[in-house]
């Protein structure tokens, strides 16, 4: 489901994953938290199959995405596939609720708790169905769960809506301290600064709209009370001449780095939407380091290009056409390039000499950072579109980043 024009983009929302066994009451818990019939509830085990992502506004937490997942104890060939989808949802989770209903066998829960701890994902253990236990039983269960999972559970009844305020308050305390404070443009500009945006409106641009990074940057600059001048690539010189002074900062589409660099006033800083997204959604230092691998490529190297979007590629697509063309022009037609999109990201990255990722505007930061971590652990250099294009243009050391 796409967000409407008035909504916070899904990629900018806090992703809250709900995990537990089949029939632990995960879907009922989502409904109790939101106060709406958000998720389908059934007594039949395994009603939830693929993870369901639901954008919501939760008082105190703000714009969120609730991830309703299949039971991690699912069985059979299809069950294994559903568990794998649930495991992949962990990569997008900013905060998790681990739902349990008893303390008889917590071996599976212990494994999932260990995964969350390894990812440094904050999580809450939720003991559900308190309405089915006596006070003494709940005390014993809570103690046993705390011993096994290392966390004292929040005791609730999703069915009755009991203790929901306590759970919401606990969730609020668990929100990462820096959540929502990151800025795309960082300290690159401030109030009163003139910022020029170069935004080609080619076949790749959605009809009648701007792409998400352009929208987000524009909104942030307005919030900062910057003065914005926007133009397409063919109007750069005309826009510069119309300004009474050189812009403090120029933010361009990475595809026209070379054209902008030729016309840029010496005193103006230069960056790209993609480079800003690299720092906002990923690890800019890792990407800058990864760009060094471009110099080590050979005609026999293998490059992975990863897109977050699953759009139908059009002519002159940046990831499928322009970057491969630039790479092959430098290293030869035998250079092997594979393109993947959406969540289709290889588990084994070691066959590749370099990964070039898009700006990840459609991913939340947690998911993008999980990919950064995978590449780092497997020793494969990773950079993004903007960084790679600046490197190939020969100006990477001259552009700025937040």
């Amino acid at each position: 489901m796409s967000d409407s024009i008035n909504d916070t983009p899904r990629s900018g929302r806090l992703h809250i994953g709900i995990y537990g066994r089949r029939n632990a009451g995960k879907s009922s818990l989502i409904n109790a938290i939101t106060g709406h019939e958000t998720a389908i509830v059934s007594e039949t085990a395994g009603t939830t199959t693929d993870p369901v992502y639901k954008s919501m506004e939760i008082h105190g937490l703000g714009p969120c995405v609730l991830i309703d997942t299949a039971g991690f104890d699912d069985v059979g060939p299809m069950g294994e596939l559903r568990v794998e989808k649930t495991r992949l949802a962990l990569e997008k989770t900013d905060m998790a609720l681990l739902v349990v209903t008893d303390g008889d066998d917590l071996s599976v829960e212990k494994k999932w708790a260990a995964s969350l701890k390894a990812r440094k994902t904050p999580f809450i253990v939720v003991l559900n169905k308190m309405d089915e236990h006596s006070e003494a039983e709940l005390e014993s269960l809570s103690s046993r769960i705390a011993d096994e999972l290392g966390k004292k559970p929040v005791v609730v009844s999703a069915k009755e809506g009991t203790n929901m305020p306590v759970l919401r308050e606990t969730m609020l305390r668990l929100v990462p301290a820096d959540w929502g404070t990151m800025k795309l443009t960082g300290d690159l500009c401030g109030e009163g600064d003139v910022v020029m945006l170069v935004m080609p409106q080619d076949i790749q641009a959605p009809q009648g709209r701007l792409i998400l990074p352009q929208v987000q940057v524009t909104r942030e600059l307005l919030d900062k009370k910057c003065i914005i001048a926007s133009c397409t690539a063919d109007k750069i010189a005309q826009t510069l001449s119309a300004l009474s002074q050189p812009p403090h900062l120029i933010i361009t589409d990475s595809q026209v780095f070379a054209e902008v660099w030729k016309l840029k006033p010496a005193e103006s800083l230069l960056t790209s939407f993609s480079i800003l997204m690299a720092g906002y959604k990923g690890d800019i230092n890792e990407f800058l380091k990864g760009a060094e691998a471009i110099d080590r490529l050979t005609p026999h190297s293998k490059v992975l290009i990863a897109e977050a979007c699953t759009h139908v590629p059009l002519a002159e697509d940046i990831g499928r056409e322009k970057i491969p063309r630039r790479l092959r022009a430098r290293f030869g037609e035998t250079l092997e390039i594979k393109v993947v999109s959406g969540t289709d990201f290889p588990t084994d990255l070691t066959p590749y000499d370099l990964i070039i990722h898009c700006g990840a505007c459609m991913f939340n930061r947690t998911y993008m950072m999980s990919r950064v971590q995978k590449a780092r652990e497997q020793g494969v250099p990773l950079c993004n579109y903007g960084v790679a294009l600046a490197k190939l243009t020969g100006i990477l050391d001259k552009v700025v980043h937040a």
Side-chain angles (χ1 to χ4, degrees):
M1 183 188 73
S2 62
D3 298 289
S4 76
I5 193 170
N6 296 315
D7 287 338
T8 299
R10 176 175 287 180
S11 59
R13 292 169 176 260
L14 184 73
H15 282 51
I16 304 172
I18 320 296
Y19 301 94
R21 295 176 187 255
R22 290 172 295 170
N23 263 8
K26 301 184 295 298
S27 299
S28 295
L29 184 62
I30 287 177
N31 292 342
I33 290 171
T34 62
H36 298 89
E37 293 298 315
T38 302
I40 297 173
V41 176
S42 171
E43 294 296 328
T44 303
T47 297
T48 303
T49 53
D50 287 353
V52 177
Y53 296 79
K54 179 66 177 178
S55 297
M56 296 289 296
E57 293 278 339
I58 300 178
H59 181 67
L61 294 172
C64 304
V65 173
L66 296 176
I67 311 173
D68 190 9
T69 63
F72 52 47
D73 61 332
D74 214 335
V75 295
M78 290 303 297
E80 291 176 6
L81 291 174
R82 287 194 283 265
V83 172
E84 181 58 26
K85 289 286 186 71
T86 296
R87 189 174 290 109
L88 290 174
L90 283 176
E91 298 179 359
K92 303 178 183 180
T93 299
D94 298 308
M95 177 196 301
L97 303 184
L98 186 56
V99 186
V100 299
T101 55
D102 61 56
D104 292 340
D105 178 12
L106 295 170
S107 56
V108 181
E109 285 81 359
K110 286 177 71 173
K111 291 179 182 178
W112 283 76
S115 294
L116 290 165
K117 291 174 183 177
R119 294 176 179 278
K120 298 182 179 179
T121 303
F123 70 97
I124 301 167
V125 178
V126 181
L127 174 55
N128 191 22
K129 303 186 180 182
M130 64 180 290
D131 51 294
E132 298 180 5
H133 301 284
S134 67
E135 190 171 329
E137 288 173 335
L138 287 173
E139 187 174 338
S140 175
L141 274 173
S142 296
S143 178
R144 195 181 316 152
I145 290 167
D147 289 341
E148 291 283 327
L149 303 183
K151 282 181 177 284
K152 184 178 179 181
V154 176
V155 183
V156 304
S157 170
K159 179 181 178 181
E160 304 293 336
T162 311
N163 274 356
M164 286 303 114
V166 174
L167 178 57
R168 291 192 195 96
E169 179 61 32
T170 306
M171 292 167 68
L172 187 59
R173 291 200 301 268
L174 219 61
V175 174
D178 61 349
W179 178 257
T181 62
M182 291 185 66
K183 299 293 183 184
L184 271 161
T185 55
D187 297 324
L188 294 179
C189 55
E191 183 173 350
D193 286 335
V194 176
V195 181
M196 179 172 160
L197 307 181
V198 182
M199 304 184 290
Q201 299 302 295
D202 55 19
I203 191 173
Q204 296 297 319
Q207 184 68 33
R209 293 178 289 132
L210 300 175
I211 62 173
L212 187 57
Q214 295 169 355
V215 174
Q216 290 180 308
V217 167
T218 300
R219 175 56 197 261
E220 184 174 301
L221 294 175
L222 290 172
D223 288 342
K224 284 186 170 185
K225 300 188 182 301
C226 295
I227 301 165
I228 307 169
S230 302
C231 67
T232 50
D234 58 330
K235 298 295 183 183
I236 298 171
Q238 192 172 337
T239 303
L240 287 170
S241 65
L243 297 173
S244 61
Q245 61 186 41
H248 172 73
L249 173 67
I250 300 175
I251 305 173
T252 179
D253 187 291
S254 301
Q255 301 176 69
V256 291
F257 255 142
E259 295 94 315
V260 178
W261 177 254
K262 291 176 185 177
L263 298 171
K264 182 189 80 69
E267 56 266 58
S268 299
L269 302 175
L270 176 65
T271 191
S272 77
F273 294 99
S274 185
I275 287 177
L276 294 179
M277 290 300 292
Y280 185 65
K281 290 294 181 73
D283 185 334
I284 184 63
N285 293 319
E286 190 77 18
F287 296 150
L288 293 171
K289 180 181 175 182
E292 297 172 6
I294 291 177
D295 292 330
R296 300 192 294 271
L297 295 178
T298 72
H300 306 292
S301 295
K302 190 171 183 179
V303 176
L304 176 69
I305 295 180
E307 298 178 331
C309 299
T310 55
H311 63 275
V312 177
L314 302 173
E316 292 302 296
D317 185 271
I318 183 172
R320 296 172 185 266
E321 300 285 342
K322 294 186 177 180
I323 291 177
R325 186 186 305 138
R326 296 287 297 273
L327 289 172
R328 288 191 170 115
R330 178 168 172 180
F331 299 105
E333 291 298 319
T334 57
L335 180 72
E336 187 176 346
I337 298 175
K338 180 179 180 180
V339 180
V340 296
S341 61
T343 57
D344 184 19
F345 194 68
T347 301
D348 182 10
L349 301 172
T350 55
Y352 300 99
D353 299 289
L354 173 66
I355 302 167
I356 303 178
H357 207 290
C358 72
C361 62
M362 301 305 293
F363 289 164
N364 68 334
R365 188 170 193 274
T366 296
Y367 190 29
M368 185 60 217
M369 286 303 296
S370 74
R371 293 190 169 186
V372 172
Q373 184 62 26
K374 279 184 182 178
R376 184 185 294 130
E377 289 172 352
Q378 296 182 41
V380 182
L382 171 70
C383 66
N384 90 327
Y385 285 8
V387 172
L389 285 168
K391 175 70 174 177
L392 289 167
T393 306
I395 61 170
L396 182 56
D397 61 334
K398 301 176 179 65
V399 300
V400 296
H401 57 83

